[in-house]
């Protein structure tokens, strides 16, 4: 089975721009979660989508948004980029009815200049 | 709220040494507990899991036991290898009401030949 894929792997943007990241979950997994990883804050939960609905949300400003499509693929969008948004963005998929384990993609490294 | 505390790194060991990385948690109810590992330039990989008190998770020579009385889930390995050098994350998750994993800060392990 193919793992979680994320595109692009690397991205460089300028302050004020917006960015869209994409995640394709493992086949059969309908839950997709997004995390931000930075050296200072560690791994922080952004949001989780299930069946095209946001089911859980972390403590991030409204500039961070996401969506999920009927095939379970998910995108997250960050508008009005700030320098502090530079991070590794990780997507994880999970099987409903599982035990809470998540399967992570390789991440998208976003650099804001 | 739920939280995970793990020992600060970095931890530096010689090959074949014994490894312990301490992890304690605070949670309501009965979460599942996990150890994830992150190798340089990659996303997180599930290393092992335990879903109820006294469960022992094990994989690739690593072990951890779910101790409810001490709210701990310490990671151990009897003989580390250079290839074990990575960052290790303790985490808890509940699979009811959606997936929202809470991660510890991570412990970086360096193993010297």
């Amino acid at each position: 089975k193919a793992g979680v894929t994320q595109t692009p792997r690397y991205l460089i943007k300028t302050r004020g721009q917006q960015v869209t990241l994409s995640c394709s979950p493992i086949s059969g997994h309908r839950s997709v979660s997004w995390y931000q990883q930075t050296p200072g804050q560690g791994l922080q939960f952004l949001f989780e989508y299930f069946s095209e609905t946001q089911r859980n949300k972390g403590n991030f400003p409204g500039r961070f948004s996401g969506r999920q499509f009927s095939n379970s693929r998910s995108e997250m969008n960050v508008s009005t980029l700030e320098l502090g948004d530079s991070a590794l963005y990780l997507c994880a998929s999970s099987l409903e009815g599982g035990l809470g384990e998540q399967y992570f993609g390789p991440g998208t490294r976003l650099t804001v200049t | 709220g739920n939280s995970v505390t793990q020992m600060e790194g970095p931890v530096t060991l010689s090959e074949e040494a014994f490894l312990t990385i301490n992890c304690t948690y605070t949670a309501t109810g009965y979460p599942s507990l996990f150890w994830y590992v992150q190798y340089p330039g990659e996303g997180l990989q599930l290393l092992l899991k335990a879903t109820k008190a006294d469960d022992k998770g094990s994989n690739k020579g690593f072990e951890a036991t779910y101790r409810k009385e001490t709210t701990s889930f310490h990671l151990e390995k009897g003989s580390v290898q250079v290839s074990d050098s990575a960052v290790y994350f303790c985490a808890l998750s509940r699979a009811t009401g959606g997936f929202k994993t809470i991660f510890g800060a991570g412990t970086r392990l360096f193993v010297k030949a």
Side-chain angles (χ1 to χ4, degrees), chain A residues 11-19 78-83 85 110-113:
Chain A
L11 209 45
I12 300 174
K13 291 287 189 179
T14 303
R15 258 183 310 178
Q17 288 185 314
Q18 73 164 14
V19 67
V78 188
S79 62
T80 319
L81 284 166
E82 301 176 0
L83 295 178
D85 298 333
L110 171 64
T111 302
V112 182
T113 62

Side-chain angles (χ1 to χ4, degrees), chain A residues 9-10 31 33 35 37 42-43 45 48 55-58 88 90 94-107, chain B residues 31-34 36 38 41-46 49-51 87 89 93-105:
Chain A
R9 290 293 310 278
Y10 302 92
S31 168
S33 299
Y35 295 86
Q37 186 178 26
L43 274 158
F45 173 77
E48 183 223 359
R55 186 160 65 172
N56 282 293
K57 188 177 190 310
L88 181 67
L90 292 164
S94 306
L95 186 64
E96 196 70 4
L99 298 170
E101 63 266 44
Q102 298 192 290
Y103 297 87
F104 285 80
Chain B
S32 296
L33 301 176
F34 305 88
Y36 288 86
Q38 186 175 33
E42 298 183 13
L44 276 69
Q45 297 177 25
L46 178 64
K49 66 187 178 192
T51 59
V87 181
F89 293 91
S93 182
R94 302 191 65 177
T96 54
F99 295 92
K100 181 178 178 181
T101 303
I102 307 297
F103 290 90

Side-chain angles (χ1 to χ4, degrees), chain B residues 30-112:
Chain B
Y30 303 94
S32 296
L33 301 176
F34 305 88
W35 278 99
Y36 288 86
V37 59
Q38 186 175 33
Y39 298 101
E42 298 183 13
L44 276 69
Q45 297 177 25
L46 178 64
L47 181 60
L48 54 83
K49 66 187 178 192
T51 59
K52 60 184 187 295
D54 300 326
D55 258 5
K56 178 186 280 189
S58 61
N59 186 26
K60 299 181 182 179
F62 291 90
E63 292 183 339
T65 302
Y66 191 141
R67 301 282 188 205
K68 192 157 179 62
E69 64 277 11
T70 54
T71 62
S72 65
F73 192 55
H74 304 322
L75 182 69
E76 296 182 336
K77 186 175 186 183
S79 175
V80 293
Q81 306 300 311
V82 172
S83 58
D84 294 327
S85 298
V87 181
Y88 292 82
F89 293 91
C90 184
L92 66 82
S93 182
R94 302 191 65 177
T96 54
F99 295 92
K100 181 178 178 181
T101 303
I102 307 297
F103 290 90
T107 302
R108 184 175 295 277
L109 170 66
F110 291 105
V111 180
K112 304 178 298 184

Side-chain angles (χ1 to χ4, degrees), chain A residues 52-71:
Chain A
E52 302 178 63
T53 301
Q54 187 180 86
R55 186 160 65 172
N56 282 293
K57 188 177 190 310
N59 293 327
F60 278 80
R63 300 186 297 107
F64 291 82
S65 63
R67 59 177 175 167
Q68 187 180 34
F69 302 94
S70 58
N71 62 358

